[in-house]
């Protein structure tokens, strides 16, 4: 009898764990919105307004790739709303290197110029597309992807929408080469030598 009860409890725990994994993402909230615990002013329209993108209006285009975010870190009213934005500015010939967003899919809308984009699925198949102004492309949640402005003369501008207030970004080059993973492990993993790994690390840190 005890063994049947233990088996039932174990099965229940496994079921709960599986359900928790399948429901991973921003949790549903039980209120209309979430206010910060230490808010010293009354809630009004200002709380639900983000003005951080105003800095982009009539500003000179950057000389290097730039991301301006409106996520929960910058815009507290997004907490619990499962949405966020980012404006991506690509001077000619610049790239947003391979990266992932572990907590959200990404919907990219090209507002100006053109972009070469792509992602790699879990079977290592690469899906690419050349996007023109007005095109939209989706990057599935958690998959490695990139964007590249291959135009040698013209900049590109895009808006990304995320299905999370805090999508997270994991840069593939940085997470592999700018952490404390042992050089020997990296050399074996990439079938090269330690000197080559150190040269790559040096290039990334510069």
């Amino acid at each position: 009898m005890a063994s049947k009860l233990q088996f039932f409890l174990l099965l229940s725990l496994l079921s709960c764990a599986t359900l928790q994994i399948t429901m991973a993402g921003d949790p549903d909230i039980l209120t209309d919105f979430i206010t910060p615990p230490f808010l010293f002013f009354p809630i009004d329209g200002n709380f639900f307004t983000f003005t951080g993108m105003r800095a982009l209006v009539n500003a000179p285009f950057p000389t290097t790739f730039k991301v301006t975010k409106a996520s929960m870190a910058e815009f507290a009213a997004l907490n619990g709303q499962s949405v966020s934005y980012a404006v991506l500015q690509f001077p000619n010939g610049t790239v947003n290197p391979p990266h992932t967003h572990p907590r959200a899919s990404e919907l990219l809308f090209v507002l100006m110029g053109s972009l070469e984009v792509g992602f790699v699925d879990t079977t290592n198949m690469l899906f690419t597309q050349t996007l023109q102004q007005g095109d939209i492309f989706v990057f599935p949640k958690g998959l490695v992807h990139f964007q590249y402005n291959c135009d040698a003369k013209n900049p590109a501008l895009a808006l990304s929408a995320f299905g999370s207030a805090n999508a997270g970004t994991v840069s593939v080059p940085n997470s592999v080469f700018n952490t404390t993973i042992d050089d020997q492990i990296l050399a074996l993993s990439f079938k090269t030598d330690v000197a080559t790994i150190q040269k790559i690390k040096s290039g990334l840190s510069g």
Side-chain angles (χ1 to χ4, degrees):
M1 185 70 175
S3 61
K4 281 188 177 180
L5 182 59
Q6 288 173 342
F7 175 75
F8 177 75
L9 288 172
L10 179 62
L11 191 61
S12 298
L13 286 171
L14 287 173
S15 298
C16 289
T18 303
L19 183 62
Q20 190 67 31
I21 290 168
T22 58
M23 294 174 65
D26 287 6
D28 288 335
I29 60 174
L30 301 177
T31 56
D32 295 332
F33 50 86
I34 298 173
T35 56
F38 302 105
L39 195 65
F40 300 107
F41 54 86
I43 293 292
D44 59 15
N46 290 317
F47 178 72
F48 301 99
T49 304
F50 181 71
T51 60
M53 300 300 181
R54 290 182 184 178
L56 302 177
V57 180
N58 297 324
F61 211 82
T63 56
T64 58
F65 169 71
K66 182 181 178 184
V67 180
T68 305
K69 295 180 181 180
S71 67
M72 195 172 76
E74 297 82 19
F75 188 12
L78 293 183
N79 188 8
Q81 302 304 318
S82 300
V83 292
S84 57
Y85 267 139
V87 173
L88 312 178
Q89 295 174 286
F90 297 84
N92 53 296
T94 57
V95 65
N96 186 4
H99 62 281
T100 70
H101 302 295
R103 293 181 287 275
S105 53
E106 175 182 358
L107 199 60
L108 181 85
F109 179 25
V110 179
L111 300 171
M112 180 180 74
S114 65
L115 288 173
E116 186 80 25
V117 302
F119 70 86
V120 180
D121 73 4
T122 54
T123 68
N124 287 329
M125 181 174 288
L126 174 65
F127 297 86
T128 62
Q129 185 63 271
T130 300
L131 304 178
Q132 305 298 330
Q133 183 175 344
D135 291 347
I136 293 175
F137 191 86
V138 63
F139 301 101
K141 180 179 178 179
L143 298 184
V144 173
H145 60 281
F146 64 88
Q147 300 105 18
Y148 172 47
N149 178 11
C150 57
D151 192 318
K153 296 181 180 179
N154 300 305
L157 179 68
L159 179 68
S160 284
F162 300 95
S164 169
N166 184 21
T169 301
V170 179
S171 166
V172 174
N174 283 332
S175 63
V176 173
F177 295 104
N178 275 347
T179 54
T180 55
I181 299 174
D182 186 85
D183 288 352
Q184 184 63 40
I185 293 172
L186 292 175
L188 289 169
S189 301
F190 287 93
K191 298 185 180 354
T192 186
D193 53 68
V194 169
T196 301
I197 296 297
Q198 291 175 344
K199 185 175 181 181
I200 294 171
K201 285 186 172 183
S202 175
L204 286 172
S205 63

